[in-house]
Each structure stands twice: as C-alpha cells, then as structure tokens.
C-alpha cells in the first residue's frame, strides 16, 4: 500500500488538464455544449425582464407590486401641505410637543408631485428657518444665525415610466431620488 499511494499521486499530478483522473482524454460533451449555447442565447431573455414592456393600464398595478417586493417605501408622514404654500420660521409657535415643530431646526412636510414616476407623489421635509432656534435666558425663543438649519436626506427608489422601442408600451426603470426627511442644526461652513 505505501508504494502505490505515492505512484497514484505522481500519476495524477502529471496529467494534463485535458485528461480525466483516469487518464482518459476529456471531451466536451454534447450536453455541456448545449448548456453553453442555451446560457448564451437565453441569458438576454432572462435579463430582459428588467425592461419588460407593459400596457399603460397595467403599469400602476405592476409598479406597486415591484415597489412592494423590491423597493419598500417608508410610510408617508401626515399633515403634508402643497410644496408651493407659504411658510415662516415658527418662533411664536415654538413650544408644541410634535418633534418637527419643537426642533431647534423645525420643518414641515410638503407633498411633491413627480410626473411619470411611481409613486407619483411623495412627502418631503422642508426646513422652516435659515438659522436655528435658541432659547435665551428668559426662556424666549430667538432665531440665531450662529448655526444653520440643514436638511437631512435619504435616497429613495422610484420607478420611472419610459417608452418601449415600439412606442406603444412602457417599461419601469428604477431611479434614485434624494428626499429630505427632516432638518437639523449645524455650525456654518467656514471657508
């Protein structure tokens, strides 16, 4: 036994890569060739599902299904207003209990439309003050520009409706959008 093991190891080590362990020449079998051809031909078909074309009436249903399964969306905050409605820094309303209003850098939620996207509207935070609200000795709030009110952002994925090459149907393209989710105080940038 001790003499055959080294000879077997030596024999296997000397075989070229085109030979099997038994020393027989390897041939690329018909099955292996068939599998290679199928992968080369069917590969684009598997990836074409990314740009599958849909009728306009089925887009909404497909978009909601894809968003739920691949790109979960955060819950939308309540109380959003139109994005073009007027606003001011709420110094006189500073004491409410809601975090977005009692923050040193308060914000409000605005509803933003996005044409040809799913979802077609989303809610974004809008900073209400350029500086930060500071409480002075008497307990009165005062706007201070020693600090800046800066947005906190998050990247979200939306599905954009794009025309297919036939100009009749549409496909859904994932796009990243930076969304403001709140505001905070920061020292100003010193250049």
């Amino acid at each position: 036994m001790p003499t055959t093991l080294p000879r077997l190891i030596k024999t296997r080590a000397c075989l070229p890569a085109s030979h099997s362990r038994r020393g027989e020449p390897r041939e690329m079998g018909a099955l292996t060739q068939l599998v290679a051809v199928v992968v080369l031909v069917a590969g684009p078909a598997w990836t074409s599902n990314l740009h599958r074309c849909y009728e306009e009436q089925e887009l909404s249903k497909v978009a909601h299904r894809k968003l739920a399964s691949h790109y979960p969306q955060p819950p939308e905050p309540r109380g959003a207003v139109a994005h073009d409605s007027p606003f001011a820094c709420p110094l006189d309303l500073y004491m409410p209990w809601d975090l977005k209003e009692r923050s040193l850098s308060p914000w409000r939620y605005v509803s933003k439309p996005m044409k040809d996207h799913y979802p077609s509207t989303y809610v974004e935070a809008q900073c209400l003050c350029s500086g930060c609200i500071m409480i002075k000795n008497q307990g009165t709030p005062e706007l201070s520009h020693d600090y800046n009110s800066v947005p906190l952002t998050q990247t979200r994925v939306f599905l954009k409706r794009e025309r297919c090459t036939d100009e009749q149907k549409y496909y859904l393209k994932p796009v990243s959008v930076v969304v403001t989710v709140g505001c905070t105080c920061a020292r100003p940038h010193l250049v």
Side-chain angles (χ1 to χ4, degrees):
M1 181 98 167
T3 56
T4 57
L5 186 58
R7 193 164 55 170
L8 181 63
I9 293 172
K10 188 176 187 181
T11 307
R12 284 190 182 165
C14 296
L15 288 176
S18 62
H19 285 68
S20 68
R21 290 185 176 176
R22 292 185 181 138
E24 302 161 354
R26 284 189 189 162
E27 293 181 17
M28 187 172 200
L31 181 61
T32 308
Q33 289 177 345
L34 179 64
V35 169
V37 169
V38 167
V39 167
L40 289 173
V41 172
W46 288 326
T47 60
S48 70
N49 196 20
L50 296 174
H51 295 293
R52 182 174 165 203
C53 295
Y54 301 97
E55 299 287 337
E56 189 166 6
Q57 57 270 25
E58 62 183 332
L59 268 179
S60 180
K61 183 178 177 182
V62 171
H64 291 295
R65 189 173 59 239
K66 282 189 177 191
L67 285 170
S69 63
H70 299 306
Y71 311 105
Q73 302 292 306
E76 296 289 354
R78 296 175 194 224
V81 297
H83 69 280
D84 56 354
S85 62
F87 65 94
C89 188
L91 284 174
D92 53 340
L93 303 174
Y94 182 68
M95 294 302 167
W97 293 102
D98 195 9
L99 176 63
K100 67 183 172 92
E101 294 168 347
R102 66 184 165 94
S103 169
L104 301 179
S105 176
W107 66 89
R108 70 177 184 165
Y109 292 113
V110 295
S111 181
K112 305 275 288 222
M114 274 183 57
K115 186 178 180 190
D116 294 331
H117 286 75
Y118 293 95
S120 59
T121 60
Y122 66 98
V123 174
E124 183 171 59
Q126 181 182 47
C127 300
L128 296 176
C129 305
S130 55
C132 293
I133 297 176
M134 298 294 164
I135 305 298
K136 295 299 179 184
N137 295 339
Q138 275 29 27
T140 57
E142 184 177 300
L143 183 62
S144 170
H145 290 283
D146 293 337
Y147 296 91
N148 292 338
S149 183
V150 294
L152 298 171
T153 61
Q154 173 188 48
T155 302
R156 288 181 51 190
V157 176
F158 291 79
L159 296 175
K160 185 173 186 204
R161 180 177 85 162
E162 299 272 336
R163 283 227 186 249
C164 291
T165 54
D166 68 359
E167 295 292 324
Q168 307 264 328
K169 296 181 180 179
Y170 298 90
Y171 69 92
L172 297 168
K173 175 182 171 185
V175 292
S176 295
V177 177
V178 176
V179 176
T180 302
V181 295
C183 301
T184 190
C185 281
R187 291 189 311 216
H189 254 33
L190 300 176
V191 182

